[in-house]
Amino acid sequence: MGLTVLMNAGPWLPVPPPGYGGIENVVATLVPELRRLGVRVVLASTADATLPVDELLSVFPDGQFGALQRPYNQVCGISHAHLNGVVRALRERDDIDLVHDHVEAVGLAVLTAMGPGSGPALHTLHWDLGKHPDLYGYLDGGDRVRVNGVSAAQLARAPQALRDHAVGHVHLATPLAVAADRRPPVEKSDHLVILGRITPGKGQHVGARLAHQAGFDLVLAGPVGPYLRPEELAAAGPEADQNPDVRYWREQVAPLVDGDRVRWVGMVAGGARDELVAAARASLFPLCWEEPGGTAVIESLALGTPVLAIGRGCLPELIEHGRTGLLAEDEEGLADLVREVGRLDERDCRREASRRFTPATMAQRYVELYDRVRRSATRPVDPYPVDPSVDPSPVRA
């Protein structure tokens, strides 16, 4: 193919991440398939990234995730330092055909500010687009900087200026979807599971409350802020309360976690995560926000576990109600659906995952978007052209 893409994953976690890491997991899923399609990938991540790529660029030796939710004036330079390294590389070399950026807000702002003398860029939007209204509402990337969503519902909620720069959406993918339709069934246990970072939008407090009210066992699996395991959070000092996810956990979730009906097992990764989800009666998504992408949703389908969710954001795009999951309008409706989940067939879940959510499907879609972005971009113009008739040596008095 002869295409070289600078894949900017950011400074927060290595690629692949050691466990939780939404964006980094997306990049780790996408890059191998792009390389199989002949795309040369230069990865901008941390120095401890282990994903096989053609070249690694880094500013930080390891991930800065522990600082991510500290006060802005303490950490605002982290993303900027990383982007400074990316811009320096783009200025010093001429082999990058396109930048594929995944760094929230700062990536888009910096790539846009580089101006018409720079090459084309695609910025993937992984988050709630109600954030950053001043950036998104007045965005002007010209024909050079484009964006894509991770669902149609996400882009539908975007400010008009952001939609004007959009080239479409690409649903997320999981390696678990490869040959999922040929995976043997797993014996189910009685528990439901909520997989993901414990944060207000994911609604763990709603799920825990429903577990007590409706009488089902619930396992919460995911980190609380930078704390991956219960013992880490228990040992944390008063400074931990500066993290909004820790405050949410302590004030709204922890009082409902009794170790029996509702358990928190911390971050679960790899085979242990797969076993936990595959054995669950259902994955629960009691959403309190407009979910943009839903990685945990497609992972659940690939593992043969139907989804019970409040149908917000991308969920109606990912789930076929009555076949691969059950969608409710609100918390009360979700409680009623718990009793109906047994009528869903896990084989339908795995078939849908293998049809729609494989890494190869995602990579092919991105290659199409890369071509579209490059064709729509204006021809790069050097803002400081060199006149060959002028002696470049400095003038001396």
Side-chain angles (χ1 to χ4, degrees):
M1 179 177 292
L3 179 68
T4 298
V5 172
L6 191 153
M7 186 73 61
N8 185 22
W12 304 114
L13 289 166
V15 182
Y20 171 79
I23 291 172
E24 293 81 9
N25 275 319
V26 172
V27 172
T29 299
L30 173 61
V31 166
E33 293 299 327
L34 289 177
R35 296 182 76 212
R36 287 190 185 96
L37 292 173
V39 177
R40 184 173 181 270
V41 176
V42 178
L43 176 65
S45 179
T46 55
D48 56 341
T50 58
L51 184 73
V53 292
D54 296 282
E55 188 176 345
L56 175 65
L57 301 178
S58 63
V59 171
F60 294 96
D62 50 25
Q64 304 299 298
F65 184 76
L68 186 57
Q69 290 185 320
R70 292 178 188 166
Y72 176 78
N73 62 352
Q74 295 180 16
V75 301
C76 62
I78 293 176
S79 284
H80 297 77
H82 175 86
L83 263 296
N84 182 59
V86 169
V87 171
R88 185 167 60 249
L90 293 173
R91 293 296 194 200
E92 292 175 351
R93 54 196 299 170
D94 60 3
D95 62 328
I96 304 298
D97 298 305
L98 178 137
V99 177
H100 187 175
D101 180 71
H102 301 267
V103 178
E104 183 174 352
V106 178
L108 180 60
V110 169
L111 291 169
T112 301
M114 289 180 69
S118 304
L122 176 66
H123 174 81
T124 296
L125 302 155
H126 291 273
W127 37 83
D128 175 12
L129 301 186
K131 300 164 72 176
H132 318 305
D134 296 318
L135 173 62
Y136 294 156
Y138 299 95
L139 181 67
D140 184 5
D143 294 324
R144 188 181 59 82
V145 179
R146 299 292 186 175
V147 303
N148 76 276
V150 290
S151 68
Q154 179 200 34
L155 286 179
R157 296 173 57 83
Q160 186 61 51
L162 195 60
R163 289 203 302 271
D164 289 344
H165 288 76
V167 290
H169 69 275
V170 182
H171 286 141
L172 301 175
T174 172
L176 295 169
V178 177
D181 54 336
R182 298 196 293 273
R183 190 175 297 126
V186 173
E187 183 177 353
K188 295 293 185 180
S189 299
D190 289 333
H191 70 273
L192 275 64
V193 63
I194 299 179
L195 184 70
R197 183 166 64 97
I198 295 177
T199 192
K202 302 293 186 181
Q204 282 91 352
H205 66 295
V206 175
R209 185 166 61 237
L210 288 179
H212 288 288
Q213 292 174 353
F216 61 85
D217 293 340
L218 178 65
V219 178
L220 307 177
V224 176
Y227 304 102
L228 305 184
R229 290 176 292 278
E231 57 271 22
E232 291 182 8
L233 182 55
E239 71 280 359
D241 286 330
Q242 297 181 20
N243 186 297
D245 287 348
V246 173
R247 292 197 300 271
Y248 165 66
W249 163 260
R250 289 180 171 168
E251 294 171 4
Q252 299 189 51
V253 184
L256 299 169
V257 177
D258 60 0
D260 182 19
R261 178 66 74 191
V262 180
R263 295 184 295 129
W264 175 45
V265 297
M267 186 185 74
V268 182
R273 175 205 61 186
D274 298 348
E275 291 174 7
L276 175 67
V277 175
R281 282 197 293 143
S283 289
L284 188 64
F285 294 86
L287 298 174
C288 297
W289 74 325
E290 304 302 323
E291 177 69 47
T295 299
V297 175
I298 63 172
E299 289 176 342
S300 182
L301 296 181
L303 290 166
T305 299
V307 168
L308 295 180
I310 296 175
R312 300 184 64 171
C314 67
L315 268 293
E317 294 176 45
L318 306 181
I319 298 301
E320 183 179 341
H321 180 75
R323 180 169 171 265
T324 60
L326 298 171
L327 301 178
E329 293 184 1
D330 51 31
E331 179 179 341
E332 290 73 20
L334 192 60
D336 293 336
L337 292 178
V338 172
R339 292 183 288 272
E340 300 181 34
V341 70
R343 64 184 174 88
L344 301 180
D345 190 335
E346 72 170 89
R347 292 173 295 184
D348 289 331
C349 299
R350 290 187 278 106
R351 277 194 290 262
E352 189 72 353
S354 65
R355 184 178 71 87
R356 297 179 59 197
F357 302 123
T358 64
T361 299
M362 178 172 66
Q364 184 57 54
R365 175 67 172 145
Y366 270 116
V367 167
E368 294 168 1
L369 292 192
Y370 294 163
D371 182 62
R372 182 175 176 184
V373 171
R374 295 180 69 207
R375 285 189 286 107
S376 69
T378 54
R379 189 179 186 86
V381 177
D382 186 347
Y384 305 106
V386 176
D387 184 342
S389 66
V390 176
D391 183 354
S393 60
V395 176
R396 301 186 185 277

